[in-house]
Amino acid sequence: DTRDISLGNITIEVKAGLDTSKHVLKISSLDQLDADNEKLVVTHFRFSTSDEGISLESQIEKVMKVISYDHRLVGEFMRKLFLTGYDPQGDYINNCYKIVLNELYLVTENFPRLLRQDINVAIRQVKYEINCSDIIDFLISENEFKERVHAVN
């Protein structure tokens, strides 16, 4: 799957990293940022370790409570978790983190990205990083994000 979430009129690509790591968006495929202009938002979470933060296990439980009414959604959610390498017995699932920063980037025509149509057909796969300090002009507020989600085409 190339997209993490579809919500209203937009799709959302979720990126996350520890606050101690490089401040970059790690893009893992040519298709990840390929969407109609202004219909894709990249949300970038930065976390730090914390004794009183949130754990992966607690977040999975919250999502499961919300979607438990629909077995298809539960199956899709679990499938996506396992595709990322999730192990329900992993020693990391109870590690706690707190959100330090959440940035929202609107992907427009000028957003720096590689698109399949611009790449030689012999190239099958790419991974690259986008430096967040170079894309601050694409930041949007949470209110603008909400407006885009609820906008009518």
Side-chain angles (χ1 to χ4, degrees):
D1 293 351
T2 57
R3 297 285 154 38
D4 293 324
I5 302 168
S6 292
L7 190 61
N9 296 312
I10 64 169
T11 54
I12 304 162
E13 182 63 35
V14 179
K15 299 295 178 186
L18 290 175
D19 200 37
T20 56
S21 63
K22 296 186 292 186
H23 195 182
V24 297
L25 300 179
K26 293 183 179 184
I27 310 304
S28 61
S29 77
L30 280 173
D31 300 320
Q32 223 168 26
L33 298 182
D34 195 358
D36 292 339
N37 289 333
E38 300 188 22
K39 297 229 182 230
L40 175 63
V41 172
V42 177
T43 182
H44 186 217
F45 289 95
R46 307 267 299 162
F47 296 93
S48 67
T49 56
S50 171
D51 292 335
E52 298 178 9
I54 57 175
S55 69
L56 178 59
E57 183 176 48
S58 69
Q59 293 307 295
I60 290 172
E61 288 173 1
K62 283 182 182 179
V63 171
M64 293 298 279
K65 283 180 184 176
V66 171
I67 65 173
S68 63
Y69 71 93
D70 186 332
H71 294 288
R72 185 187 59 76
L73 283 176
V74 170
E76 181 67 7
F77 178 65
M78 293 307 295
R79 184 182 74 79
K80 287 187 174 192
L81 276 176
F82 286 116
L83 283 173
T84 66
Y86 168 70
D87 176 3
Q89 309 304 310
D91 58 358
Y92 57 84
I93 65 168
N94 290 310
N95 294 349
C96 291
Y97 302 90
K98 67 178 179 179
I99 297 172
V100 176
L101 181 65
N102 179 23
E103 299 168 312
L104 297 160
Y105 296 97
L106 181 62
V107 178
T108 65
E109 183 178 350
N110 297 323
F111 192 88
R113 59 189 169 154
L114 297 176
L115 299 174
R116 186 170 299 284
Q117 70 214 33
D118 300 331
I119 303 295
N120 186 295
V121 294
I123 298 171
R124 304 305 303 160
Q125 184 174 346
V126 298
K127 293 181 181 183
Y128 60 101
E129 295 180 352
I130 299 172
N131 188 357
C132 292
S133 64
D134 293 328
I135 57 172
I136 57 174
D137 291 342
F138 298 93
L139 284 169
I140 60 172
S141 69
E142 189 173 327
N143 283 338
E144 183 176 347
F145 171 72
K146 288 177 182 177
E147 288 171 9
R148 288 180 176 280
V149 168
H150 298 293
V152 178
N153 285 339

